[in-house]
Amino acid sequence: MNRKFYVGIDVSKKTIDVAFIAQSGEQKTEPRWKVFDNTDPGLHQMKTWLNKESVTLDANTIFVIENTGLYHRRLVSFCNKHQIQLCIENGAQVKWSLGIARGKSDKVDSRRLATYALRFADRLKPAAALHEGIQAVKDLITLRNRHITQLSALRSNLKELKLTTDPAAVKELEKIHKPLITATKNTILKIEAALLKKIKSNKLTSRQYELLLSIPCIGPVTAAYLIACTNAFTLCETGKQLACYCGVVPFEYQSGISIKGKHRVHKMANKNLKALLHLCAVSSLRYVKELRAYYDRKVEEGKHKMSVINAIRNKLVLRAFAVVKNGKPFVNNCISAA
């Protein structure tokens, strides 16, 4: 009987804590643990240690880690190179699935990840390799977000000063801030140009980008976000899954006869993408007659304005998914029928 191995890895900036559980039939071993440096030599030492422990790095072994952003990139590259199954799980999902837990350390977390892999092996999905250039697009998006945050902070500070400070002093501060604000704006424009260039350099992402721009009120930045966050539309199988990821799907909240809450969107979502979709939805009220008519009709029926705007966000997401999966530009059937 083949033995199966479940390896949990807690990744931090400098080290990785590795624990594994071996299972043979109904028998399973106690977790074995060791810590290594989060460097290329450290990863090779991990591989040597696993081989000594008779852990086979093949289809019978699965690695599970939590999403740590930058710190697990080296491990992902290592697993792709050696064709190791690696599952990148949401930290909240892992925490909630194991019940009440007391205490926390890197060693304990790696063992909990190994236990999680053993318990939920039937539903784990190895992480798909990123399409060419997607990681670079994600890095540019992150950089753009940081500069926009800085620009917003500078403007907000000056705005608050105008309400409480002498106008002459504020003008002096504005002169000091102006070169920094201008430089930040120019940097954002350069990042967006680099973002577009990166998307255009790949045939697949370039085609998806053009299809998304065919949808009224979906602009270049939103299109780039959708491509990057979905790994070129491979992470979501349906439009509803993408809408749920964007946080625009309302869920019911009721239990028995005492709890009857309104349908609400969940707070777990890609907040940046949701904010961009909100801007697209608001813009559509001004430039897309069909959606404006839908908005006015629902408001007259008594629907809350934000609820209707959320429905429009949902429509835009479903349109985006449809044009990419069908490989055809968006066509407004209402105009065609008219």
Side-chain angles (χ1 to χ4, degrees):
M1 183 180 293
N2 289 336
R3 300 183 75 194
K4 292 188 177 294
F5 300 93
Y6 304 95
V7 183
I9 304 178
D10 185 76
V11 183
S12 60
K13 184 176 181 179
K14 294 184 178 180
T15 60
I16 55 173
D17 289 72
V18 184
F20 73 87
I21 298 173
Q23 183 183 37
S24 181
E26 297 297 325
Q27 302 293 326
K28 61 181 181 181
T29 64
E30 289 296 319
R32 299 289 301 277
W33 165 85
K34 196 169 184 180
V35 62
F36 303 93
D37 292 334
N38 191 2
T39 59
D40 290 331
L43 293 175
H44 286 290
Q45 290 173 11
M46 176 192 71
K47 181 184 176 185
T48 302
W49 175 68
L50 291 174
N51 288 332
K52 287 183 179 179
E53 295 289 341
S54 301
V55 178
T56 58
L57 302 181
D58 54 18
N60 292 320
T61 301
I62 188 164
F63 285 26
V64 176
I65 65 173
E66 292 180 1
N67 195 331
T68 59
L70 294 172
Y71 300 146
H72 68 253
R73 287 189 184 180
R74 186 178 282 109
L75 178 62
V76 171
S77 299
F78 177 85
C79 290
N80 290 338
K81 180 180 178 180
H82 294 87
Q83 297 183 341
I84 300 171
Q85 296 184 85
L86 175 67
C87 298
I88 304 175
E89 295 294 297
N90 185 291
Q93 170 69 23
V94 176
K95 181 179 179 180
W96 294 339
S97 66
L98 298 177
I100 298 174
R102 295 178 175 84
K104 176 180 174 60
S105 70
D106 292 342
K107 179 179 179 180
V108 171
D109 286 347
S110 63
R111 292 187 175 187
R112 287 173 179 167
L113 284 167
T115 303
Y116 173 86
L118 173 65
R119 187 175 298 176
F120 300 102
D122 57 331
R123 74 183 193 189
L124 292 177
K125 294 182 179 180
L130 291 178
H131 281 274
E132 180 185 355
I134 291 295
Q135 189 60 66
V137 171
K138 285 186 172 184
D139 290 340
L140 287 168
I141 286 174
T142 301
L143 185 61
R144 180 181 179 275
N145 287 340
R146 288 177 179 172
H147 280 80
I148 287 177
T149 301
Q150 292 173 358
L151 182 61
S152 177
L154 290 171
R155 287 173 169 172
S156 178
N157 183 39
L158 289 174
K159 185 177 179 180
E160 294 297 324
L161 286 172
K162 288 180 180 179
L163 300 175
T164 58
T165 310
D166 179 64
V170 173
K171 285 186 178 180
E172 185 66 26
L173 290 173
E174 284 180 336
K175 289 182 180 179
I176 297 173
H177 277 73
K178 188 175 180 179
L180 181 57
I181 291 175
T182 303
T184 305
K185 286 181 179 178
N186 292 335
T187 302
I188 292 172
L189 292 175
K190 289 180 181 179
I191 293 171
E192 290 176 351
L195 190 61
L196 178 59
K197 183 179 179 181
K198 199 66 183 178
I199 289 175
K200 291 285 188 180
S201 64
N202 181 273
K203 185 177 180 180
L204 174 64
T205 57
S206 179
R207 175 58 179 166
Q208 290 181 349
Y209 180 78
E210 295 299 332
L211 290 171
L212 291 172
L213 290 184
S214 69
I215 303 172
C217 294
I218 287 188
V221 176
T222 306
Y225 260 78
L226 286 167
I227 293 171
C229 294
T230 60
N231 191 21
F233 285 84
T234 59
L235 298 182
C236 299
E237 297 178 359
T238 64
K240 284 188 176 181
Q241 287 183 355
L242 178 57
C244 185
Y245 171 78
C246 296
V248 297
V249 177
F251 294 91
E252 62 178 337
Y253 184 76
Q254 69 86 24
S255 180
I257 61 174
S258 60
I259 300 177
K260 293 184 179 180
K262 296 180 180 179
H263 286 57
R264 297 181 181 276
V265 296
H266 200 275
K267 63 181 180 180
M268 289 184 64
N270 187 320
K271 301 294 179 61
N272 290 326
L273 185 53
K274 185 176 180 179
L276 287 172
L277 289 169
H278 178 78
L279 295 176
C280 294
V282 173
S283 177
S284 70
L285 298 180
R286 184 174 182 180
Y287 298 105
V288 184
K289 294 181 179 179
E290 162 213 351
L291 294 178
R292 179 70 202 194
Y294 170 81
Y295 174 83
D296 292 337
R297 185 175 72 254
K298 289 298 180 181
V299 170
E300 288 177 3
E301 291 174 2
K303 293 285 186 180
H304 193 281
K305 291 182 179 180
M306 279 305 301
S307 178
V308 183
I309 290 177
N310 185 71
I312 295 174
R313 291 187 299 204
N314 201 337
K315 286 177 179 288
L316 292 175
V317 172
L318 295 178
R319 289 178 179 183
F321 187 86
V323 297
V324 171
K325 289 303 177 182
N326 294 333
K328 298 178 181 179
F330 175 77
V331 177
N332 194 331
N333 292 324
C334 293
I335 295 177
S336 298

